[in-house]
Amino acid sequence: MKIKEGFVLSDVAGCTLVVAIGNRAKEFNGVINVNETGAFIWKLLQKERTEEELVKAVLNEYNVDETKAREDVDKFVGKLKEASLLQ
């Protein structure tokens, strides 16, 4: 999976947001507020990644156990899928 073209992370007033740019802005109205872990996963998804690769990266970056890493990845990826941001 990978983030669709036309979506970027933007720092606005200390908040990290996902915003649509270009033609995507016509299809996607709104913004998504992401936390530090979400931003980390988002950046990884600029290239094609599997959920397993994301879990391993979260484990390497943060001091969490595998269960928590998997929950965080599943939750964030689920939200991206729900918003149709993944290809």
Side-chain angles (χ1 to χ4, degrees):
M1 73 191 103
K2 180 181 171 185
I3 298 294
K4 287 181 180 177
E5 294 290 325
F7 294 98
V8 296
L9 278 183
S10 181
D11 185 39
V12 178
C15 294
T16 304
L17 306 173
V18 173
V19 295
I21 58 172
N23 288 333
R24 289 284 183 201
K26 296 175 188 173
E27 304 167 8
F28 185 83
N29 297 325
V31 297
I32 298 173
N33 188 10
V34 297
N35 63 16
E36 179 184 341
T37 306
F40 176 75
I41 296 169
W42 178 275
K43 290 173 186 173
L44 292 171
L45 286 169
Q46 296 305 299
K47 295 182 179 180
E48 185 71 30
R49 308 280 182 181
T50 66
E51 283 197 44
E52 199 58 39
E53 289 172 320
L54 297 175
V55 170
K56 288 179 182 179
V58 169
L59 284 170
N60 287 331
E61 183 71 16
Y62 299 100
N63 186 25
V64 295
D65 63 31
E66 187 173 347
T67 300
K68 176 65 173 155
R70 195 166 300 282
E71 287 173 2
D72 288 351
V73 168
D74 288 345
K75 184 177 178 182
F76 189 69
V77 167
K79 288 185 179 195
L80 294 178
K81 286 178 180 177
E82 189 176 295
S84 298
L85 301 181
L86 295 175
Q87 53 178 319

